[in-house]
């Protein structure tokens, strides 16, 4: 970098101030040969940047690169150190760990954390296929999607611009206070939001259904609607099931276990959390206000892609043989 700066100074004195090479050599305290080389480059329209050499030849030829690729396929968790040792023993070639690491980078290899996929039992996998085939063409415009979510104060991931791959830092607290919400939506819009701080039990869950779900669902859909919720123990409790069988026996909908990827409200919660984090709430009261304001602003047009995605989700489950889908 210092050499490039010096060459730029020589260029300025040659072109701008029109000094002779001898004068420039004395002014900048550099060898006259350096000045003459810069002058020659300027006369032939050559760049002043230093041309990099070929460097040391790469010890890892195509055959060894193929061997490294095969080792990674057989053991994706292997470290660069172990990979270097295996290559050295197999090919009887002394190679450094840094050389192997640079070669893997050139081959576009990286080592991120894997995506966590729920372990589905064979019974649940087969039921997901059967369920998806049966409900693919269901009238999802009548569905009421409901679930609970938690929001922490001063905790959440937000994207920030940076340069040269340098990661920014974000301050967080170890035991951040949190609040919980029960939320629901359908093709007609959002349902009244329930925000609470205590632990959710079966008795309180029944009160939520009575105060926030039943009257609004009937106002939106009359008696032609069905409830979509996961198989959480509170949802499947005797008290909740008894209340549902008495108050809304025709609105029960069977949901496959271990299937958060099928419920669009999970995607909506993900979007909602990203929006709330950007508000930088300083207290739980501000956090509640942010959540309520954003939730109340959601329109049926905004929610339409969420419930309309159910047909595609069912199709993807069948195509993926009942395994988790990318949603």
């Amino acid at each position: 970098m210092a050499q490039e700066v010096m060459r730029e100074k020589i260029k300025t004195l040659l072109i701008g101030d029109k000094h002779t090479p001898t004068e420039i050599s004395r002014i900048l305290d550099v060898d006259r040969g350096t000045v003459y080389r810069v002058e020659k480059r300027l006369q032939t329209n050559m760049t002043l940047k230093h041309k990099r050499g070929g460097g040391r030849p790469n010890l890892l030829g195509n055959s060894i690169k193929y061997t490294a690729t095969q080792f990674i396929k057989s053991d994706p968790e292997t470290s660069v150190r172990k990979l270097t040792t295996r290559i050295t023993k197999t090919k009887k070639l002394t190679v450094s760990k840094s050389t192997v690491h640079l070669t893997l980078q050139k081959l576009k290899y990286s080592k991120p954390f894997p995506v966590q996929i729920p372990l589905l039992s064979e019974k649940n996998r087969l039921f997901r296929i059967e369920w998806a085939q049966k409900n693919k063409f269901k009238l999802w415009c009548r569905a009421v999607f409901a679930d609970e979510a938690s929001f922490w104060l001063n905790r959440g991931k937000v994207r920030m611009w940076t340069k040269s791959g340098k990661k920014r830092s974000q301050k967080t607290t170890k035991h951040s206070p949190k609040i919980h919400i029960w939320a629901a939506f359908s093709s007609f819009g959002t349902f009244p939001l329930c925000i609470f701080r205590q632990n959710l039990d079966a008795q309180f869950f029944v009160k939520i259904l009575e105060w926030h779900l039943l009257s609004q669902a009937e106002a939106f859909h009359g008696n032609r609607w069905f409830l979509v919720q996961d198989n959480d123990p509170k949802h499947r409790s005797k008290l909740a099931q008894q209340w549902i069988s008495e108050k809304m026996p025709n609105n029960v909908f069977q949901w496959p276990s271990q299937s958060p990827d099928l419920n669009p409200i999970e995607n909506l919660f993900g979007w909602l959390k990203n929006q709330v984090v950007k508000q930088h709430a300083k207290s739980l009261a501000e956090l509640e206000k942010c959540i309520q304001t954003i939730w109340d602003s959601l329109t049926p047009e905004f929610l339409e892609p969420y419930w309309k995605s159910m047909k595609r989700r069912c199709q993807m489950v069948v195509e993926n043989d009942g395994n988790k889908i990318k949603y």
Side-chain angles (χ1 to χ4, degrees):
M1 183 62 68
Q3 293 178 352
E4 291 183 5
V5 173
M6 181 60 68
R7 284 192 287 269
E8 288 295 333
K9 290 182 179 179
I10 294 172
K11 175 183 176 181
T12 302
L13 292 175
L14 282 171
I15 299 176
D17 299 334
K18 297 182 180 180
H19 289 282
T20 64
T22 303
E23 292 173 342
I24 295 173
S25 175
R26 187 173 58 253
I27 293 171
L28 299 178
D29 192 21
V30 295
D31 187 73
R32 277 191 302 175
T34 302
V35 181
Y36 283 124
R37 283 192 291 271
V38 172
E39 186 179 31
K40 184 177 179 181
R41 288 190 177 189
L42 291 174
Q43 292 173 353
T44 56
N45 294 324
M46 292 177 61
T47 178
L48 295 181
K49 291 186 177 180
H50 178 68
K51 184 179 179 182
R52 296 187 62 182
R56 181 182 176 183
N58 195 339
L59 292 176
L60 297 185
N62 291 333
S63 63
I64 300 179
K65 291 178 182 178
Y66 175 79
T67 303
T69 303
Q70 295 304 310
F71 285 155
I72 291 177
K73 286 183 179 180
S74 61
D75 184 11
E77 297 180 7
T78 188
S79 64
V80 176
R81 186 183 299 276
K82 291 182 179 179
L83 192 60
T84 304
T85 303
R86 294 183 68 179
I87 292 175
T88 302
K89 290 182 178 179
T90 304
K91 295 297 182 179
K92 297 181 181 180
L93 175 68
T94 302
V95 62
S96 67
K97 188 177 71 172
S98 59
T99 300
V100 175
H101 189 237
L102 289 172
T103 302
L104 293 178
Q105 287 182 337
K106 291 180 180 179
L107 293 173
K108 306 300 182 182
Y109 273 106
S110 60
K111 199 178 182 183
F113 288 103
V115 178
Q116 301 295 321
I117 300 176
L119 182 61
L120 287 170
S121 65
E122 185 65 13
K123 178 182 177 182
N124 288 339
R125 186 184 67 83
L126 295 176
F127 180 73
R128 277 166 60 94
I129 298 174
E130 180 185 352
W131 182 92
Q133 291 174 334
K134 178 181 178 182
N135 296 292
K136 180 178 179 180
F137 297 103
K138 195 174 184 66
L139 293 177
W140 292 105
C141 58
R142 300 178 182 175
V144 176
F145 301 94
D147 203 0
E148 300 85 32
S150 298
F151 291 76
W152 283 264
L153 187 67
N154 300 326
R155 187 191 296 181
K157 294 182 179 180
V158 59
R159 296 183 183 273
M160 298 181 181
W161 289 109
T162 183
K163 292 183 68 176
S164 304
K166 184 179 179 181
K167 291 187 177 181
R168 296 183 180 271
S169 59
Q170 183 180 9
K171 294 181 180 180
T172 59
T173 55
K174 186 175 182 181
H175 301 290
S176 179
K178 63 180 178 179
I179 60 176
H180 313 283
I181 68 168
W182 177 93
F185 79 93
S186 71
S187 58
F188 279 83
T190 58
F191 282 54
L193 193 65
C194 178
I195 303 178
F196 55 95
R197 302 186 186 182
Q198 72 269 31
N199 292 329
L200 182 64
D201 55 18
Q203 187 174 5
F204 185 51
F205 176 66
V206 168
K207 291 181 179 179
I208 292 176
L209 295 181
E210 186 174 2
W211 297 340
H212 297 267
L213 172 71
L214 197 56
S215 59
Q216 188 69 33
E218 292 176 350
F220 278 163
H221 303 276
N223 195 37
R224 304 176 66 183
W225 62 278
F226 56 93
L227 177 63
V228 173
Q229 61 179 2
D230 59 25
N231 295 319
D232 185 277
K234 296 177 286 294
H235 302 166
R236 305 295 298 173
S237 64
K238 291 184 179 179
L239 183 62
Q241 292 300 307
Q242 181 180 356
W243 186 90
I244 290 174
S245 62
E246 292 177 357
K247 301 293 183 179
M248 40 185 248
N250 300 323
N251 310 108
V252 180
F253 182 65
Q254 189 177 16
W255 189 256
S257 300
Q258 298 176 299
S259 301
D261 53 329
L262 285 176
N263 198 338
I265 200 171
E266 299 291 347
N267 303 93
L268 183 60
F269 282 156
W271 176 87
L272 181 61
K273 289 182 178 181
N274 287 335
Q275 300 303 310
V276 170
V277 168
K278 295 176 183 178
Q279 303 302 315
H280 302 289
K282 299 297 188 296
S283 64
L284 288 180
E286 287 187 19
L287 184 61
E288 290 185 13
K289 185 178 179 180
C290 288
I291 297 172
Q292 188 70 61
T293 301
I294 297 173
W295 184 258
D296 292 341
S297 67
L298 301 183
T299 63
E301 291 76 20
F302 177 85
L303 298 169
E304 185 176 358
Y306 288 93
W307 63 265
K308 275 193 172 182
S309 68
M310 285 304 300
K311 180 180 178 180
R312 175 59 181 157
R313 291 172 195 255
C314 293
Q315 182 179 347
M316 290 176 67
V317 168
V318 176
E319 293 173 353
N320 205 26
D321 200 23
N323 294 304
K324 183 183 180 298
I325 59 175
K326 292 182 180 181
Y327 244 107

